[in-house]
């Protein structure tokens, strides 16, 4: 066993605070990664506050992990001590079911193991995430990073926000000549704008925050619509090939479904605490529109996304914080006041 330190929530109502725990010793196929930076995903906040009613406490969140390999097991092939590496939302899956066989570990039919808030197979032990000094993980669930080392902190958010938006953009074959909507300019939304633009689409960003207009254009949107403005919305009726909805709160889906062309799809990746109001059936059936969902992405696709982003010079726009600032960062995230992802400088943990 290795001693580890991190920040944990002990229950839904108290702030995150320093927490000591142990990690497994490095096994034959494991890599040990010293965590240098960890992104702050809205899912971390949903989890520590038990908004999805499934939180195991103590809860050490964090699934946008980047750092340096400090030890490798004897059978490890893809990593050497000193390499940069990343860990995203999963640390294991059954490896036997049809979904795992297709490289879709996130849809593992026996349930993938989350980087945090996950039970090890057959056991009752909780998993602890990246708001901590190190992690030990099977090399199959570690990602290679080819961005410049100076970009490392801004690469961290790709491990969740990047793959969660890349995967549906690929699945629905977004590319040149298409008009693609992105709803919400937060951590996921700003990655969606950058990636959809790099894939060649005409990107329209929908926001509830008029103050984010300039940024959205700078990030790669060709047009920005303030979604509370009915006239601006009406100008886009029946015109979208695809919409990716990243909003973290319940809202009126019809406002966006009515903007889709015939046969087009809106895919939800946001996972609010309470359900959206039901969309109108008529809005779907009269144009054979589709409403879909998508969960992160598989390991091979996560590697593909990291390589795509390195090739296209894509990183996240980040605001670096110390771990001691995490509770305030959560409050700001709730006010949509993030430009556009908080990343924790894990060196600050040493003074915790
Ligand atoms: P975030 O940084 O907080 O961004 C969410 C954005 O949604 C906000 O910046 C805001 O954008 C918009 N928004 C917030 N409240 C709203 C409201 N009441 N009405 C309309 N728009 C609102 O969160 P995130 O980290 O990107 O995560 C977004 C959601 O995706 C979360 O629910 C998270 O748990 C989920 N998630 C899902 C997956 C998956 O695999 N499906 C993976 C990761 C995260 P504007 O200011 O531009 O309006
Ligand atoms: Zn996440």
């Amino acid at each position: 066993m290795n001693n580890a330190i991190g920040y944990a929530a002990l229950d839904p109502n108290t702030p995150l605070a320093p927490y000591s725990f142990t990690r497994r010793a490095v096994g034959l196929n494991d890599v040990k990664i010293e965590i240098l930076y960890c992104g702050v995903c809205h899912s971390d906040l949903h989890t520590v506050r038990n908004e999805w009613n499934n939180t195991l406490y103590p809860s050490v969140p964090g699934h946008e992990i980047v750092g340096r390999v400090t030890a490798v097991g004897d059978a490890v092939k893809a990593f050497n001590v000193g390499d940069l590496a990343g860990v995203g939302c999963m640390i294991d899956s059954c490896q036997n079911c049809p979904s795992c066989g297709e490289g879709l570990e996130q849809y593992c039919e026996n349930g993938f193991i989350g980087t945090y808030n996950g039970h090890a197979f057959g056991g009752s032990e909780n998993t602890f995430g990246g708001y901590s000094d190190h992690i030990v993980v099977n090399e199959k669930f570690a990602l290679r990073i080819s961005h410049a080392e100076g970009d490392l902190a801004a690469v961290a958010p790709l491990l969740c926000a990047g793959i969660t938006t890349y995967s549906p953009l690929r699945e629905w074959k977004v590319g040149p000549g298409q008009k693609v909507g992105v709803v919400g300019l937060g951590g996921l939304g700003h990655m969606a704008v950058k990636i959809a633009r790099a894939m060649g689409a005409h990107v329209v960003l929908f926001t509830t925050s008029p103050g984010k207009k300039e940024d959205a254009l700078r990030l790669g949107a060709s047009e920005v619509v303030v979604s509370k403005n009915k006239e601006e919305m009406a100008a886009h009726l029946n015109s979208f090939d695809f919409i990716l909805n990243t909003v973290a709160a319940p809202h009126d889906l019809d406002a966006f479904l009515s903007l889709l062309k015939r046969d087009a799809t809106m895919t939800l990746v946001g996972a609010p605490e309470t359900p959206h109001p039901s969309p109108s059936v008529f809005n779907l059936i009269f144009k054979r529109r589709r409403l879909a969902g998508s969960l992160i992405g598989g390991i091979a696709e996560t590697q593909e996304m990291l390589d795509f982003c390195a090739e296209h010079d894509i990183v996240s726009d980040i605001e670096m914080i110390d771990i001691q600032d995490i509770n305030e960062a959560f409050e700001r995230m709730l006010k949509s006041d993030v430009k556009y992802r908080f990343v924790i400088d894990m060196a600050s943990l040493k003074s915790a």
Side-chain angles (χ1 to χ4, degrees):
M1 301 290 247
N2 292 301
N3 290 325
I5 58 161
Y7 259 54
L10 301 182
D11 61 59
N13 304 311
T14 46
L16 268 71
Y19 178 69
S20 299
F21 58 102
T22 54
R23 299 239 187 234
R24 69 169 185 251
V26 178
L28 268 186
N29 298 297
D30 288 340
V31 295
K32 180 178 179 184
I33 300 168
E34 178 195 1
I35 301 172
L36 298 173
Y37 303 101
C38 185
V40 178
C41 179
H42 206 114
S43 302
D44 302 351
L45 171 54
H46 290 305
T47 301
V48 299
R49 301 202 174 164
N50 197 25
E51 291 180 0
W52 296 329
N53 288 314
N54 68 351
T55 304
L56 308 167
Y57 293 99
S59 177
V60 177
H63 57 206
E64 293 184 339
I65 297 169
V66 292
R68 194 176 297 286
V69 176
T70 56
V72 295
D74 289 344
V76 166
K77 295 197 180 72
F79 292 91
N80 293 305
V81 169
D83 287 351
L84 297 177
V87 178
C89 303
M90 303 180 282
I91 52 155
D92 212 346
S93 70
C94 84
Q95 307 282 315
N96 278 317
C97 72
S99 292
C100 285
E102 287 178 55
L104 298 168
E105 299 90 350
Q106 75 276 33
Y107 303 116
C108 172
E109 280 137 62
N110 296 299
F112 71 83
I113 298 182
T115 302
Y116 61 82
N117 207 48
H119 287 297
F121 283 117
S124 59
E125 224 168 293
N126 192 1
T127 54
F128 295 124
Y131 295 10
S132 61
D133 60 350
H134 78 277
I135 190 163
V136 177
V137 62
N138 187 304
E139 69 165 328
K140 279 191 185 156
F141 285 79
L143 287 307
R144 292 181 310 282
I145 292 168
S146 54
H147 284 81
E149 197 164 331
D151 284 338
L152 193 61
V155 169
L158 302 184
L159 276 303
C160 174
I163 183 60
T164 301
T165 52
Y166 180 90
S167 183
L169 291 169
R170 270 274 178 271
E171 176 66 21
W172 275 274
K173 302 187 169 52
V174 161
Q178 289 184 344
K179 183 173 170 184
V180 170
V182 173
V183 189
L185 196 65
L188 267 55
H190 95 290
M191 291 311 310
V193 168
K194 291 187 185 208
I195 293 170
R197 171 66 177 259
M199 289 174 174
H202 176 93
V203 180
V204 181
L205 185 273
F206 296 93
T207 182
T208 59
S209 310
K212 292 181 181 174
K213 243 177 165 168
E214 293 305 311
D215 278 349
L217 297 170
R218 173 180 58 79
L219 293 167
S222 298
E223 298 176 66
V224 182
V225 174
V226 176
S227 52
K228 291 172 186 159
N229 182 322
K230 290 211 164 81
E231 278 162 33
E232 275 187 55
M233 292 291 279
H236 291 273
L237 283 172
N238 305 319
S239 66
F240 281 88
D241 295 288
F242 180 68
I243 297 178
L244 187 62
N245 188 325
T246 74
V247 172
H251 61 281
D252 172 24
L253 300 179
D254 283 315
F256 300 103
L257 287 169
S258 60
L259 306 186
L260 293 172
K261 285 180 182 169
R262 193 201 72 221
D263 287 324
T265 300
M266 175 161 81
T267 296
L268 306 177
V269 288
E273 177 181 8
T274 53
H276 298 293
S278 172
S280 154
V281 173
F282 291 94
N283 215 356
L284 296 169
I285 62 182
F286 272 82
K287 292 217 179 277
R288 201 160 57 187
R289 294 175 174 129
R290 296 143 207 231
L291 180 60
S294 182
L295 180 67
I296 48 177
I299 294 297
E301 193 174 44
T302 305
Q303 189 63 60
E304 179 189 305
M305 175 277 309
L306 282 168
D307 297 344
F308 175 93
C309 288
E311 199 177 303
H312 290 83
D313 257 330
I314 294 175
V315 292
S316 175
D317 281 34
I318 65 165
E319 179 177 340
M320 193 95 86
I321 60 167
D322 289 344
I323 187 79
Q324 291 80 0
D325 301 328
I326 186 62
N327 295 297
E328 191 197 331
F330 279 168
E331 290 308 319
R332 284 184 52 197
M333 187 180 247
L334 282 173
K335 293 185 214 141
S336 304
D337 175 25
V338 194
K339 291 191 172 163
Y340 280 91
R341 196 58 140 186
F342 292 119
V343 171
I344 305 165
D345 181 353
M346 220 42 82
S348 60
L349 196 53
K350 296 197 172 77
S351 56

